[in-house]
Amino acid sequence: MGTGRISFSATCAVVLLGLIMNSSALHCNRGITSSFIRVSSPSVDMPFDSDVFQVPPGYNAPQQVHITQGDHVGQAMIVSWVTPDEPGSSLVTYWPKKSKEKYVAEGYYLTYNYYNYTSGFIHHCTIPNLKYNTKYYYEVGDGNVTRKFWFRTAPPVGPDVPYTFGLIGDLGQTYDSNKTLTHYEQSPLKGKTVLYVGDLSYADDWPFHDNVKWDTWGRFTERSVAYQPWIWTAGNHEIDFEPLLGETVPFKPYSSRYHVPYNSSGSTAPFWYSIKRASAYIIVLSSYSAYGKYTPQYTWLEQELPKVDRTETPWLIVLVHSPWYNSYNYHYMEGETMRVMFESWFIQYNVDVVFAGHVHAYERSKRISNNAYNITNGLCTPVSNKFSPVYITIGDGGNIEGLATNMTEPQPSYSAFRESSFGHGMFSIKNRTHAYFSWNRNQDGYAVEADSLWFHNRYWYPTTETTISI
């Protein structure tokens, strides 16, 4: 049913002749560690004068324009941008395609200081009451310097609404990052919204957490995120807690620049929230905010999961930053405490897939759980569980820290496919029962899928996806 992949429900009794593609060999009962060999080279940030960081012409021209969903159901959009020299206007002018009537929404601006850096004027404006599945144009700026963009709103929420999400994590702003974003933009699957699993600019990898890198990252990603919403997850590189620099407010640059509609889902903080989009219910969690029992995030998730109506939004997707299942030696077990707290809920409510970043490589798990383990019973090996999510680590955007290459050996039984390469993913919902996931490595052509899987919905069609990778 997918490129380079055969679905089957019987035993592994397939004769394969001359169809080995790229990286994988045939396995029946164990996962695949890709044998793809890439040229080893360091990840290097692009220089400040790169064209992808170009400042738009004109005095006080709006820059770093980005959008995200602005309410719970997809009928609002948050538009954000920066004016570098003075506040200018916080108004957004917008209109549907082919409409002669224009509308205006009013936002506000803020600034922040971080050590020796002072931000530009960061504007946020929510456009409300948008029509579903409609192309809108919008303008920001004032005087002689305005900039025009467009976006398309989501289709109405419903059980069989097809929709395609891109998956990007740990992007940074290196030459590899540019390849990842270009591959995503050129994908024939045509993603409509990016699910971003954390770690944005990597400014904190530079001396004094150089916040100029936040500005360059905003200009770099504008070519995509000004035209389609990116759904944000906070990663560890967004924390920016540095008492030695006098910075004791975590997440300050990130939360100043990237706003999300957390209030619309009853959240008390912008680091965990939910949205509906087409036929998907998306829950964003924070790996770096408290999630122990009775904390605000714990209480919110406990109340949120029962609200998901799978007859309305069949696909339940969770975004975190730190993976719960990870067979690389990088960040190994860092997601374990969150797994202990929430894995039983994910099984109870039939979460379809959990996307994570943090580990700078790609890995897809089987449907497994370690839910039975209670410290004393010794049942500490993950076991097959058809009611569990698939866990996909996709922290392979291309950042300055480079690839995670050291894997645990032998490959754990829960790991279905892993490869240390930069790339991006696509999750294409077809209807209430089936969705198609694919992963593209940067070294391949835009349409080449290095790994893929047809997903069966946990609520409507909870059969185990059995595949042969070739």
Side-chain angles (χ1 to χ4, degrees):
M1 297 174 71
T3 302
R5 188 165 291 278
I6 305 169
S7 295
F8 74 117
S9 57
T11 59
C12 249
V14 176
V15 177
L16 191 64
L17 297 175
L19 293 177
I20 298 177
M21 297 173 57
N22 290 330
S23 62
S24 304
L26 181 64
H27 295 276
C28 294
N29 298 312
R30 61 186 179 92
I32 295 165
T33 297
S34 172
S35 59
F36 179 81
I37 299 175
R38 71 207 53 75
V39 176
S40 180
S41 61
S43 297
V44 179
D45 267 8
M46 294 176 284
F48 282 117
D49 60 356
S50 298
D51 58 352
V52 296
F53 299 147
Q54 185 176 7
V55 176
Y59 173 75
N60 206 41
Q63 59 173 265
Q64 306 173 52
V65 180
H66 56 274
I67 62 175
T68 193
Q69 185 162 312
D71 66 355
H72 200 240
V73 297
Q75 288 191 287
M77 198 74 77
I78 298 173
V79 181
S80 304
W81 70 97
V82 175
T83 51
D85 303 303
E86 58 180 87
S89 171
S90 292
L91 300 177
V92 175
T93 302
Y94 63 100
W95 63 97
K97 183 181 180 181
K98 297 182 180 180
S99 172
K100 295 182 179 179
E101 186 173 5
K102 294 186 177 181
Y103 307 91
V104 176
E106 183 173 4
Y108 64 96
Y109 73 87
L110 59 88
T111 63
Y112 74 90
N113 296 312
Y114 191 95
Y115 187 56
N116 59 359
Y117 169 90
T118 300
S119 75
F121 300 89
I122 304 169
H123 301 256
H124 300 288
C125 179
T126 300
I127 305 175
N129 303 318
L130 298 171
K131 297 178 181 178
Y132 284 119
N133 205 26
T134 301
K135 185 174 183 178
Y136 284 87
Y137 294 95
Y138 69 100
E139 288 183 347
V140 293
D142 60 356
N144 294 322
V145 183
T146 59
R147 298 185 66 203
K148 180 179 175 181
F149 304 89
W150 60 267
F151 60 79
R152 180 173 290 278
T153 54
V157 173
D160 290 303
V161 180
Y163 202 78
T164 299
F165 295 97
L167 276 303
I168 300 177
D170 300 68
L171 185 60
Q173 45 196 301
T174 69
Y175 293 100
D176 292 302
S177 312
N178 196 29
K179 291 178 182 177
T180 298
L181 190 53
T182 301
H183 266 221
Y184 169 67
E185 293 170 315
Q186 298 297 324
S187 170
L189 295 180
K190 302 300 180 187
K192 300 173 182 176
T193 293
V194 169
L195 304 180
Y196 194 88
V197 292
D199 283 1
L200 284 66
S201 72
Y202 285 81
D204 65 340
D205 273 354
W206 289 80
F208 311 117
H209 294 221
D210 185 357
N211 271 226
V212 171
K213 303 295 286 187
W214 279 102
D215 295 317
T216 54
W217 197 82
R219 294 197 293 270
F220 162 53
T221 55
E222 183 187 84
R223 72 198 207 208
S224 174
V225 72
Y227 298 93
Q228 62 175 240
W230 287 26
I231 308 305
W232 303 108
T233 310
N236 57 299
H237 285 276
E238 281 68 75
I239 299 174
D240 278 307
F241 178 79
E242 190 53 77
L244 293 178
L245 299 179
E247 295 297 340
T248 57
V249 178
F251 299 105
K252 182 163 64 171
Y254 168 75
S255 59
S256 297
R257 293 170 181 269
Y258 294 90
H259 280 196
V260 297
Y262 68 95
N263 287 320
S264 65
S265 59
S267 172
T268 57
F271 312 116
W272 57 89
Y273 62 100
S274 70
I275 62 168
K276 300 176 186 178
R277 197 160 186 87
S279 49
Y281 202 103
I282 299 162
I283 291 178
V284 178
L285 297 178
S286 177
S287 298
Y288 303 98
S289 302
Y291 46 76
K293 201 166 187 179
Y294 307 129
T295 61
Q297 183 170 199
Y298 177 100
T299 301
W300 176 82
L301 183 60
E302 184 178 34
Q303 297 170 352
E304 180 70 9
L305 284 167
K307 297 177 183 177
V308 182
D309 180 358
R310 303 297 283 274
T311 65
E312 178 192 47
T313 50
W315 293 93
L316 181 51
I317 300 169
V318 175
L319 310 181
V320 297
H321 183 64
S322 186
W324 294 4
Y325 288 94
N326 164 33
S327 70
Y328 291 81
N329 288 324
Y330 300 82
H331 305 305
Y332 184 66
M333 296 286 284
E334 287 184 19
E336 178 66 5
T337 54
M338 181 178 263
R339 183 199 66 77
V340 169
M341 295 304 301
F342 296 146
E343 185 178 35
S344 62
W345 292 356
F346 285 13
I347 297 168
Q348 177 184 353
Y349 292 100
N350 303 130
V351 172
D352 291 291
V353 59
V354 178
F355 292 107
H358 201 37
V359 177
H360 301 161
Y362 170 72
E363 184 167 21
R364 172 172 57 84
S365 83
K366 302 173 185 176
R367 291 198 183 275
I368 41 82
S369 74
N370 203 8
N371 200 36
Y373 181 47
N374 67 6
I375 301 178
T376 62
N377 61 16
L379 302 175
C380 56
T381 300
V383 297
S384 177
N385 187 334
K386 74 173 186 177
F387 299 108
S388 295
V390 170
Y391 295 89
I392 294 178
T393 298
I394 195 153
D396 53 355
N399 65 82
I400 195 172
E401 294 179 348
L403 286 166
T405 56
N406 193 334
M407 304 174 183
T408 60
E409 299 294 350
Q411 184 174 5
S413 60
Y414 62 75
S415 176
F417 185 97
R418 60 184 185 176
E419 180 176 316
S420 180
S421 291
F422 289 134
H424 75 278
M426 304 291 282
F427 192 78
S428 298
I429 296 171
K430 306 302 181 182
N431 50 42
R432 73 184 67 191
T433 60
H434 286 78
Y436 183 71
F437 171 79
S438 62
W439 174 68
N440 175 284
R441 69 166 78 89
N442 285 353
Q443 285 84 354
D444 292 336
Y446 299 131
V448 175
E449 297 170 352
D451 183 44
S452 61
L453 179 70
W454 277 99
F455 271 76
H456 300 164
N457 185 270
R458 290 303 92 190
Y459 180 86
W460 289 99
Y461 188 50
T463 61
T464 301
E465 303 94 339
T466 310
T467 60
I468 298 174
S469 292
I470 60 175

